Amino acid sequence: MTADILDRVSFDDDGFMVDASTWTEDIGQAIAEALEVNLTDRHWQVINFVRKDFEESGEPPTLRRITQQTDVSMKEMYQLFPDGPAKIAANIAGLKKPTGCI
Amino acid sequence: MARPSRALHQSSGTNGRRKLALVASKGSLDMAYPPLILANAARMSGIDVEMFFTFWGLDIITKKKMNNLNVATVGNPNMHPWFGIPTLLGALPGMSAAASWMMRGEIKKLGFPPVPEFIQLVIDAGANVYGCKMSMDMMKLTEDDLVEGATVLGAMEFMDLTDGAQIVFV
């Protein structure tokens, strides 16, 4: 079922969605499963913020911006999305790979 | 085109999980940022980080010093992007403080935090932070003088920890 959903989506060579506007929550869920991330409400809070910030600024937020604009701390980000929280959150949210170094 | 996968987010070297060891030996404002930025970038890419602060680098993790790191204006011929400061001018009282103040402003404009916040960020991101035992003894410091989350370590223990790691000396 998950595999079917992702079949219809275009990804770049890094596994990030090419067209953020075609994202749906089901696609997000499927990507999270592929990344072995078990989504809870707290994860969705971050994913929703990341999408909203992208819509407002055109860029996926840096990790520091996520921790400044939400009540999710740096420590918690690494617990929710181990090994590259800003990258993984952007991946699940259907955005391109973030390029900031903070 | 590649389907999203856990593997694409894992930074693995030749022997499995990558590890980066940073030695920070300088305590000026301009030399505090390279190890902190590298440590943070490594953590954001899923790379394990061991940071060893020695000699003047200890100032970066010493509570009483970390808020007031400065940049040298004497014997520093590469003071761009402002203007090249001749050594005699740079020796005047206040020049180092002024240059440091300007540098802090530029760093803030780029969205980077001040040193105390940055070291805390890096610790929260899971980097291990150590103060060099020898340097601490020389400067009469104890673990209590260091930022919360830093521990004291000797060089040989650091060598044990960095087996398989890529070591960067700043």
Side-chain angles (χ1 to χ4, degrees), chain A residues 3 6-7 9 11-16 31 34-36 63-64 74-75 78 82-84 87-88 91 100-102, chain B residues 1-6 8-10 17 37 40-41 43-46 110-114 117-118 121 124-125:
Chain A
L6 296 185
D7 278 342
V9 182
F11 297 100
D12 63 19
D13 290 338
D14 290 320
F16 287 76
I31 297 174
L35 300 186
E36 296 166 35
L63 183 52
R64 187 162 177 243
M74 184 64 69
K75 255 195 198 132
Y78 276 87
D83 291 346
K87 270 172 65 195
I88 292 181
N91 202 175
C101 35
I102 184 67
Chain B
M1 155 111 170
R3 287 273 286 250
S5 71
R6 186 104 199 102
L8 285 170
H9 284 276
Q10 276 165 345
R17 211 175 152 81
I37 294 174
N40 185 52
R43 287 306 302 137
M44 293 205 300
S45 305
L110 290 170
F112 283 84
E117 195 189 320
F118 209 160
L121 196 156
D124 286 346

Side-chain angles (χ1 to χ4, degrees), chain A:
Chain A
M1 194 59 212
T2 298
D4 292 338
I5 296 174
L6 296 185
D7 278 342
R8 280 176 240 129
V9 182
S10 291
F11 297 100
D12 63 19
D13 290 338
D14 290 320
F16 287 76
M17 268 180 75
V18 168
D19 187 357
S21 64
T22 59
W23 182 86
T24 66
E25 285 190 4
D26 284 339
I27 292 176
Q29 181 66 49
I31 297 174
E33 282 174 26
L35 300 186
E36 296 166 35
V37 175
N38 191 18
L39 295 179
T40 64
D41 287 342
R42 199 66 169 152
H43 288 93
W44 280 109
Q45 187 185 339
V46 173
I47 293 164
N48 291 332
F49 167 75
V50 163
R51 275 202 72 86
K52 174 168 150 286
D53 207 59
F54 172 76
E55 265 148 43
E56 282 166 17
S57 72
E59 285 297 318
T62 62
L63 183 52
R64 187 162 177 243
R65 182 164 168 77
I66 297 173
T67 60
Q68 286 173 324
Q69 299 288 322
T70 66
D71 66 345
V72 183
S73 69
M74 184 64 69
K75 255 195 198 132
E76 204 185 340
M77 281 300 289
Y78 276 87
Q79 283 163 353
L80 292 172
F81 306 95
D83 291 346
K87 270 172 65 195
I88 292 181
N91 202 175
I92 296 172
L95 309 181
K96 58 190 174 172
K97 197 172 179 178
T99 51
C101 35
I102 184 67

Side-chain angles (χ1 to χ4, degrees), chain B residues 13-14 16 31 41 47 82 95 115-116 122-123 132 136 143 146-147 150 160 163 165 169:
Chain B
T14 44
M31 296 309 289
I47 300 171
W82 306 295
M95 283 299 288
V115 169
V122 150
I123 290 174
C132 165
M136 287 179 66
E143 200 167 281
L146 302 183
V147 73
D160 288 337
D163 189 8
F169 187 89

Side-chain angles (χ1 to χ4, degrees), chain B residues 68-86:
Chain B
N68 198 27
L69 302 181
N70 292 297
V71 65
T73 48
V74 172
N76 194 348
N78 284 334
M79 281 289 291
H80 55 81
W82 306 295
F83 44 93
I85 300 179

